[in-house]
């Protein structure tokens, strides 16, 4: 698994508290641009760290994403 980027860490950091959020909500809470958020979500989804809701408009973190946050991404926490 790649170590990821600061933007990916920010997205996981928002999602790690639980719930399903839209990309706009993630963007606002992580204080990153919408484009960067969508790109990071795509990268995280391709690695199985986040999953979309059935309507694909909300995202949540997977158990694998939680493990990645705890071991690799937490160092980026704000």
């Amino acid at each position: 698994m790649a170590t990821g980027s600061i933007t990916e860490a920010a997205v996981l950091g928002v999602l790690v508290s639980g719930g399903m959020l839209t990309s706009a909500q993630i963007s606002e809470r992580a204080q990153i641009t919408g484009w960067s958020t969508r790109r990071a979500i795509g990268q995280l989804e391709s690695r199985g760290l986040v999953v979309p809701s059935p309507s694909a408009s909300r995202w949540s973190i997977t158990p694998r994403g939680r493990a990645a946050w705890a071991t690799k991404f937490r160092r980026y926490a704000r």
Side-chain angles (χ1 to χ4, degrees):
M1 174 173 37
T3 58
S5 70
I6 294 171
T7 305
E8 291 171 6
V11 170
L12 285 180
V14 168
L15 291 173
V16 79
S17 63
M20 298 200 76
L21 301 173
T22 65
S23 62
Q25 290 169 321
I26 296 167
S27 178
E28 181 181 321
R29 292 178 189 184
Q31 299 178 351
I32 53 179
T33 66
W35 184 88
S36 293
T37 301
R38 290 185 298 277
R39 184 171 183 273
I41 287 170
Q43 293 295 318
L44 294 167
E45 181 184 18
S46 73
R47 295 198 311 268
L49 304 180
V50 299
V51 292
S53 66
S55 65
S57 63
R58 294 185 182 270
W59 301 89
S60 65
I61 194 167
T62 65
R64 186 175 174 191
R66 288 185 188 286
W69 168 254
T71 60
K72 296 188 179 203
F73 290 100
R74 181 164 262 173
R75 68 175 176 243
Y76 295 117
R78 294 180 184 196

